[in-house]
Amino acid sequence: MSAPPGPGTVGRVKLSRPARRAHLVIHVLASAGWLGLTVGLLALGVTANTTGSAAAVEASVRAMKLFADWLLLPVAFLTLTSGLVLSLGTPWGLARHRWVWTKFWLTLATTTATAFALRPGVNAAAAAVSAGQTLPDGGDVLMGPVVSLTAYVFMTVISVLKPWGPTRRGRRLRAAARRPGPAAPARL
């Protein structure tokens, strides 16, 4: 009978120190890229909503469409997968600490919102502006980046502070690891 995988394993394989560091660098770069793209989208959305120039509105919304269509989802999925690999391949675990669990669900929610809310809103605004119409609803190009930016800043803060302690599962696993195992039979 084989022992169950210990903490910090992906399918029974624990990430080596160089692999863990490489994945951590990838995760931090992808997360920072996602944050930067969101700040850029917010700046373009503010420009589209506050400028009086139709050309500036069109240029802003077209740039937002370019970011949303080509960059946001790949960076979001890279952030999500690298975070999963890190959580499953290190002792932090996915459901051992509340901050990791919170980050996972927020990352999943913001990735889903990017795919099904932010991108369609930007695409509708770009289609309207390209057809010579005014910006249909400024909220479509502002609210997505505002909500995303708020979530990413919150996730960054909890990544640094690591609040709230372990989950119930994490406490149970920690207690089980501290308990002494059954005594080995005496050898003569």
Side-chain angles (χ1 to χ4, degrees):
M1 179 177 246
S2 65
T9 59
V10 175
R12 302 201 182 275
V13 177
K14 183 176 179 180
L15 289 177
S16 66
R17 185 174 183 179
R20 188 186 77 242
R21 286 180 166 187
H23 280 89
L24 181 61
V25 168
I26 290 167
H27 182 67
V28 169
L29 288 174
S31 300
W34 203 8
L35 180 66
L37 282 169
T38 303
V39 170
L41 284 172
L42 182 59
L44 290 167
V46 167
T47 301
N49 277 291
T50 59
T51 187
S53 165
V57 170
E58 184 174 1
S60 296
V61 174
R62 282 181 181 232
M64 289 182 80
K65 182 173 172 27
L66 183 70
F67 284 176
D69 286 348
W70 291 99
L71 297 173
L72 276 179
L73 282 180
V75 171
F77 284 124
L78 182 59
T79 301
L80 182 63
T81 52
S82 62
L84 273 172
V85 168
L86 278 172
S87 67
L88 296 173
T90 64
W92 286 108
L94 180 61
R96 290 174 178 262
H97 297 85
R98 289 186 183 117
W99 72 270
V100 176
W101 194 234
T102 302
K103 271 188 64 175
F104 168 72
W105 286 107
L106 278 174
T107 302
L108 191 61
T110 52
T111 301
T112 303
T114 296
F116 297 110
L118 189 140
R119 286 184 70 224
V122 168
N123 288 338
V129 170
S130 293
Q133 301 168 2
T134 60
L135 192 61
D137 181 12
D140 283 347
V141 295
L142 275 179
M143 288 315 295
V146 167
V147 170
S148 296
L149 183 61
T150 304
Y152 306 149
V153 168
F154 177 72
M155 286 188 276
T156 301
V157 168
I158 65 173
S159 294
V160 172
L161 300 179
K162 297 172 179 45
W164 309 316
T167 61
R168 194 175 310 152
R169 179 179 185 269
R171 286 189 303 270
R172 190 176 62 246
L173 291 171
R174 184 180 290 168
R178 287 182 185 156
R179 269 187 244 128
R187 290 189 171 194
L188 296 176

